[in-house]
Amino acid sequence: MIKDKLENANNYYGISENLKMGFEWLKSQDLNNIEPNKYYIDGNIFYANIQEYETKADAKYESHKKYIDIQYMIKGNERVGVCDKNSCKLCIPYDEATDIDFMENPNEEEFLMLNSGEFIVLFPNDAHKPSINPSNTDTKNIVKKVVVKVPIS
């Protein structure tokens, strides 16, 4: 897992060419004015989902096998639970068609705040639960976020 600001993304270009391509796509877009939708970056397996939603009180952890997520906050903020996938208990088995499985973490949870202008890179071993209210209350927040799905290979 990596958390940083988009202006520092070039520090991570050496990890993979696909990750570099994902960051370059983010930097090339007018993200404040882009409409919520699915945008293909390179063919039909490399894409970005622009989302607008209300945060929530809780969620299950998720992970992916085929993709690395770059989750970039365009507007607003949310907490994101993160942990090692191996410390979780599987709730909903992996679905290859959607590249997702869902888990619960029986251990103490760690949350990161994702603010406007920041991104989190989540690798397959990084279980994560995004979209959580910014504070430990039921106060919801409206956010605009993009999730770039970066193919592993």
Side-chain angles (χ1 to χ4, degrees):
M1 190 261 327
I2 299 167
K3 180 178 182 276
D4 206 338
K5 295 182 183 244
L6 190 56
E7 63 201 43
N8 299 324
N10 60 326
N11 293 331
Y12 309 102
Y13 284 8
I15 295 173
S16 81
E17 191 60 35
N18 284 348
L19 200 59
K20 177 182 176 182
M21 191 183 309
F23 282 128
E24 288 180 343
W25 183 88
L26 282 170
K27 289 180 173 184
S28 72
Q29 302 302 304
D30 180 4
L31 295 172
N32 287 318
N33 295 310
I34 197 168
E35 292 295 319
N37 208 340
K38 185 175 189 175
Y39 295 87
Y40 291 98
I41 297 170
D42 183 31
N44 62 356
I45 61 163
F46 199 134
Y47 60 94
N49 283 322
I50 308 293
Q51 309 165 344
E52 290 181 327
Y53 56 85
E54 274 189 351
T55 58
K56 52 194 170 196
D58 200 13
K60 295 202 181 309
Y61 280 88
E62 61 185 64
S63 70
H64 315 286
K65 293 182 181 180
K66 298 177 188 176
Y67 290 95
I68 297 167
D69 278 2
I70 303 173
Q71 297 193 8
Y72 176 75
M73 185 61 66
I74 301 168
K75 293 180 186 171
N77 62 358
E78 69 183 26
R79 289 184 310 143
V80 179
V82 293
C83 67
D84 185 328
K85 180 179 179 175
N86 295 322
S87 70
C88 294
K89 177 183 171 189
L90 187 66
C91 299
I92 302 173
Y94 179 74
D95 181 337
E96 189 169 345
T98 57
D99 186 43
I100 196 166
D101 54 11
F102 292 97
M103 299 149 279
E104 292 178 355
N105 181 1
N107 304 310
E108 187 172 319
E109 296 184 296
E110 178 183 349
F111 287 90
L112 301 172
M113 185 65 74
L114 185 60
N115 297 301
S116 296
E118 296 178 336
F119 66 83
I120 298 177
V121 177
L122 299 156
F123 297 93
N125 63 319
D126 296 322
H128 52 283
K129 62 176 178 179
S131 312
I132 307 300
N133 295 338
S135 63
N136 282 333
T137 67
D138 288 333
T139 304
K140 296 179 181 194
N141 193 15
I142 306 258
V143 302
K144 183 176 183 182
K145 183 170 86 173
V146 56
V147 178
V148 178
K149 303 300 277 186
V150 177
I152 291 175
S153 55

